[in-house]
């Protein structure tokens, strides 16, 4: 087993990885940029090294600097987390040159699955259901028109180098095709240095459901079940849950089997995620495969009791999976809320500032994967994800009640967060009843924002039911800006009510 792992990441995922390393008796090396000196991942690791300026390109994305720290510390493995270098096919090669092990799938698997056209070709061979579309990059307008007419409008133009919605264009008729292709091509060239585009039938209001898989280097592949990820805004997921309230046992089995087929077909190693779209008729289609540990992996851990980071490390060290498909018996229900530093009342723009106060929820069934601490400055340099709040319950209802309770306990001062929005969203009938798809959040956005403007610190109610900081933010008629109040003010108000 490895003796020392370098974590090429920051924030909550670096902390998450360090925690498992501690449990496995593996030493950890953190790297950090100038603005992350007092970040939790720096404080929790055995060793930590500054790798430069705040911008990602100069720090967490700088392969040369990270490799230097690998050599200097003698780390025998590197965990990339998600984002940054986690899906860069060049990085694993540099790591093995430095005599260390990459904790993830091979460079060639990363390259194949990162190329969405190549991934489509690979998936097609396995016979897994695919959205009707083109198998080759689109070249001229004439051929593209023929394809589009064959598939039937509306169609979607996508970037081969893409994922995450960049370079995507919905096209409703022949008249708009040329323009859409040109714009998608130039956007893709800029974003991915790859101007190849392809075409798919556009599915209306799909569900986004993904399957967590894990594979070792001995041909063992196991599905750990699905995650429903349809609550998202601008391709940014906000709430995920497992099991999906939408699918049935039959579809679940089919999705899992398809995911395992794709995982086998590319000779995958480690943890990965196969994404599908599911339409309202329960038809499902392969979308893409993510070759990394995902943000939302904890909900799978909560229902399977499997530590995905531990298994990832074991597989990278050449060990066999310690379980087979028949051992997987998911239990209960888990929900994750991604707590972002963003201001719902200001078009969800990132909120920056110093975290002056923070009380994090705990208690039965609550898990908190945190990446920030009191006194830390939240800057615009990185992803605004602060913390992941995960709750488990024996039923969906119980997990949901716990999430509302936990969000009510959660208090952050100094920056705005989406805690109130998450709370309002969970109580909306669409979420409460499990009747939502990828378009639902956009559809109910104005309703939620209206609720947010009237979402008052219900101090009286909070004091009466004995809850601590039930709601923490207030908006009054005279101050149109969401005002964060300190816990002392809250306490004073609560006590006053108590003696009335
Ligand atoms: C689609 C689609 C409908 N039809 N492809 C968005 C991100 C990218 N990875 C794929 N995406 C989509 N591809 C076809 N043929 C709708 C989406 C989509 C979506 C997918 C997953 C999660 C959320 C989404 C939100 C809007 C659109």
């Amino acid at each position: 087993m490895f003796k020392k792992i370098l974590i090429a990441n920051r924030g909550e995922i670096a902390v998450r990885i360090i925690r498992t390393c501690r449990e496995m008796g593996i030493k950890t090396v953190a790297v950090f940029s100038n603005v992350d000196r007092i970040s939790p991942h720096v404080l929790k690791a055995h060793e930590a090294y500054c790798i430069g300026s705040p911008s990602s390109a100069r720090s967490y994305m700088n392969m040369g600097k990270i490799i230097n720290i690998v050599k200097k510390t003698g780390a025998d493995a590197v965990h990339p987390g998600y984002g940054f270098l986690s899906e860069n096919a060049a990085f694993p090669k540099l790591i093995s040159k430095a005599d260390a092990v990459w904790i993830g799938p091979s460079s060639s698997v990363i390259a194949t699955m990162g190329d969405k056209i190549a991934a489509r070709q690979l998936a097609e061979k396995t016979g897994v259901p695919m959205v009707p579309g083109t198998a080759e990059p689109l070249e001229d307008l004439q051929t593209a028109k023929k394809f589009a007419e064959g598939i039937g409008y509306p169609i979607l133009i996508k970037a081969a180098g893409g994922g995450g919605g960049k370079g995507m264009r919905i096209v409703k008729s022949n008249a708009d095709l040329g323009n859409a292709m040109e714009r998608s091509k130039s956007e893709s060239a800029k974003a991915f240095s790859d101007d190849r585009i392809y075409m798919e039938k556009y599915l209306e209001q799909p569900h986004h459901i993904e399957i967590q898989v894990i594979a070792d280097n001995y041909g063992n592949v196991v599905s750990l079940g699905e995650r429903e990820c349809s609550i998202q805004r601008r391709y940014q997921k906000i709430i995920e849950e497992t099991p999906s309230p939408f699918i049935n046992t039959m579809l679940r089995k089919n999705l899992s089997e398809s995911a395992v087929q794709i995982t086998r077909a590319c000779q995958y190693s480690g943890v990965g995620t196969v994404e599908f779209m599911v339409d309202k008729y329960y038809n499902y289609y392969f979308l893409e495969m993510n070759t990394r540990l995902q943000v939302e992996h904890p909900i799978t851990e909560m229902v399977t009791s499997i530590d995905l980071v531990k298994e990832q490390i074991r597989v990278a060290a050449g060990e066999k999976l310690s379980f087979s498909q028949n051992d997987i018996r998911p239990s209960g229900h888990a929900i994750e809320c991604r707590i972002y530093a963003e201001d719902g009342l200001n078009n969800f723009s990132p909120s920056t500032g110093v975290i002056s106060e923070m009380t994090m929820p705990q208690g039965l069934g609550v898990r908190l994967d945190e990446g920030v601490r009191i006194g830390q400055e939240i800057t615009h340099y990185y992803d605004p994800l602060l913390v992941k709040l995960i709750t488990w319950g024996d039923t969906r209802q119980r997990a949901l009640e716990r999430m509302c309770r936990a969000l009510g306990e959660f208090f952050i001062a100094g920056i705005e967060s989406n805690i109130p929005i998450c709370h309002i969203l969970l109580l909306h009938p669409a979420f409460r009843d499990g009747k939502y798809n990828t378009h639902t959040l956009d559809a109910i956005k104005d309703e939620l924002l209206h609720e947010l403007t009237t979402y008052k610190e219900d101090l009286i109610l909070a004091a009466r039911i004995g809850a601590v900081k039930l709601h923490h933010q207030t908006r009054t008629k005279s101050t149109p800006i969401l005002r964060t109040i300190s816990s002392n003010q809250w306490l004073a108000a609560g006590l006053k009510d108590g003696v009335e």
Side-chain angles (χ1 to χ4, degrees):
M1 185 41 70
F2 306 123
K3 295 198 163 54
K4 196 191 266 192
I5 293 178
L6 182 144
I7 296 110
N9 215 303
R10 66 182 298 283
E12 68 83 19
I13 196 62
V15 171
R16 160 75 191 86
I17 295 160
I18 290 168
R19 286 188 167 134
T20 285
C21 290
R22 287 265 177 193
E23 290 176 17
M24 295 176 79
I26 299 170
K27 291 228 158 67
T28 51
V29 180
V31 291
F32 62 98
S33 77
N34 283 330
V35 285
D36 275 341
R37 286 181 181 280
I38 63 157
S39 289
H41 79 285
V42 174
L43 304 176
K44 285 184 163 65
H46 290 90
E47 298 170 69
Y49 296 85
C50 184
I51 49 169
S53 320
S55 84
S56 299
R58 293 181 179 197
S59 51
Y60 299 104
M61 298 275 278
N62 189 316
M63 294 192 257
K65 283 185 184 165
I66 295 169
I67 295 291
N68 282 344
I69 307 298
V70 171
K71 290 178 183 156
K72 183 185 171 119
T73 58
D76 46 12
V78 175
H79 197 305
Y82 55 71
F84 296 126
L85 296 168
S86 62
E87 288 170 290
N88 186 317
F91 197 37
K93 290 184 184 167
L94 294 179
I95 288 167
S96 37
K97 256 197 212 144
D99 291 324
V101 175
W102 163 254
I103 301 174
S106 72
S107 175
S108 72
V109 171
I110 295 173
T112 303
M113 289 307 182
D115 176 345
K116 303 306 167 193
I117 294 179
R120 253 189 88 88
Q121 288 167 350
L122 187 141
E124 194 121 49
K125 277 189 219 144
T126 66
V128 163
M130 311 273 298
V131 192
T134 54
E136 303 289 336
L138 295 176
E139 300 294 349
D140 59 303
L141 183 57
Q142 274 324 101
T143 343
K145 271 188 185 156
K146 272 198 205 116
F147 277 130
E149 282 162 8
I151 292 167
Y153 284 103
I155 58 100
L156 191 61
I157 306 281
K158 293 185 172 187
K166 265 215 186 94
M168 270 178 30
R169 285 275 180 299
I170 301 171
V171 186
K172 299 212 165 108
S173 71
N174 269 344
D176 303 332
L177 188 58
N179 192 17
M181 280 173 66
E182 266 166 46
R183 292 176 54 173
S184 173
K185 247 186 183 322
S186 73
E187 206 173 308
S188 309
K190 258 189 223 138
F192 315 113
S193 316
D194 177 356
D195 73 347
R196 291 173 307 138
I197 53 171
Y198 65 106
M199 181 190 296
E200 279 181 0
K201 170 102 192 136
Y202 178 63
L203 299 181
E204 319 256 0
Q205 311 204 3
H207 280 252
H208 177 63
I209 297 178
E210 59 189 28
I211 301 286
Q212 176 72 59
V213 292
I214 180 158
D216 64 18
N217 301 318
Y218 305 91
N220 301 304
V221 181
V222 174
S223 160
L224 298 180
E226 88 278 9
R227 294 185 287 255
E228 169 73 64
C229 302
S230 297
I231 297 287
Q232 56 81 43
R233 215 185 93 80
R234 298 194 197 135
Y235 313 118
Q236 173 113 287
K237 294 167 187 161
I238 300 173
I239 299 179
E240 303 96 349
E241 63 177 316
T242 186
S244 165
F246 174 65
I247 68 174
N248 55 37
T249 309
M250 187 63 163
L251 181 54
R252 178 169 292 123
K253 192 163 169 282
N254 290 340
L255 286 169
S256 268
E257 284 176 5
S258 291
V260 166
Q261 271 182 294
I262 287 173
T263 309
R264 276 193 199 291
C266 65
Q267 295 174 25
Y268 200 86
S269 163
V271 308
T273 299
V274 184
E275 296 189 349
F276 296 94
M277 288 186 294
V278 183
D279 70 17
K280 62 182 170 195
Y281 309 108
Y282 298 92
N283 297 311
Y284 71 96
Y285 308 93
F286 169 74
L287 192 55
E288 49 193 75
M289 182 170 194
N290 298 316
T291 56
R292 57 166 194 275
L293 181 70
Q294 287 202 240
V295 177
E296 59 272 25
H297 77 275
I299 57 173
T300 300
E301 296 185 321
M302 299 308 283
V303 298
T304 61
S305 299
I306 289 170
D307 178 338
L308 284 168
V309 173
K310 180 176 176 187
E311 296 306 323
Q312 208 179 8
I313 293 170
R314 289 185 63 255
V315 166
E319 294 183 18
K320 283 188 183 169
L321 289 185
S322 56
F323 47 82
S324 64
Q325 191 65 62
N326 285 335
D327 300 321
I328 308 303
R329 296 259 184 280
S331 158
H333 198 100
I335 305 175
E336 170 179 277
C337 286
R338 299 189 185 188
I339 308 304
Y340 292 112
E342 66 178 23
D343 187 354
L345 292 179
N346 188 11
N347 198 27
F348 299 93
S349 57
S351 173
T352 56
V354 174
I355 297 182
S356 55
E357 260 190 89
M358 183 161 63
T359 306
M360 297 197 268
Q362 305 203 358
L364 185 61
V366 175
R367 166 174 172 180
L368 209 122
D369 280 22
E370 88 286 14
V372 295
R373 57 191 284 268
I374 293 177
Q376 191 176 339
E377 184 176 0
I378 305 307
T379 67
H380 61 267
Y381 290 107
Y382 314 110
D383 186 283
L385 181 66
L386 301 171
V387 166
K388 298 186 312 208
L389 178 56
I390 302 110
T391 59
W392 181 91
D394 52 354
T395 61
R396 183 175 193 265
Q397 178 61 22
R398 195 63 60 82
L400 187 52
E401 286 163 2
R402 283 202 174 127
M403 184 57 85
C404 289
R405 185 269 289 175
L407 286 165
E409 284 180 18
F410 209 152
F411 178 79
I412 303 178
I415 52 165
E416 297 297 339
S417 82
N418 67 339
I419 292 170
I421 278 274
C422 282
H423 203 163
I424 292 165
L425 179 51
L426 290 173
L427 296 172
H428 191 283
F431 191 89
R432 191 194 58 205
D433 302 340
K435 299 212 164 84
Y436 61 84
N437 58 47
T438 50
H439 287 225
T440 303
L441 184 52
D442 262 346
I444 64 174
K445 197 184 89 193
D446 289 343
E447 262 179 86
L448 301 182
L449 285 176
H450 176 77
E451 287 282 321
L452 187 63
T453 60
T454 55
Y455 183 89
K456 291 220 186 77
E457 188 115 13
D458 198 345
L459 301 175
I460 294 168
L461 178 68
R464 202 159 278 151
I465 68 170
V468 180
K469 297 166 202 153
L470 185 68
H471 299 162
H472 7 74
Q473 291 180 311
T474 183
R475 184 188 168 96
T476 62
K477 283 200 183 96
S478 55
T479 49
I481 294 168
L482 198 70
R483 184 164 57 90
T484 306
I485 67 166
S486 80
S487 56
N488 282 343
Q489 277 174 285
W490 187 90
L491 219 59
L495 288 174
K496 199 157 63 195
D497 180 63
V499 296
E500 253 168 22

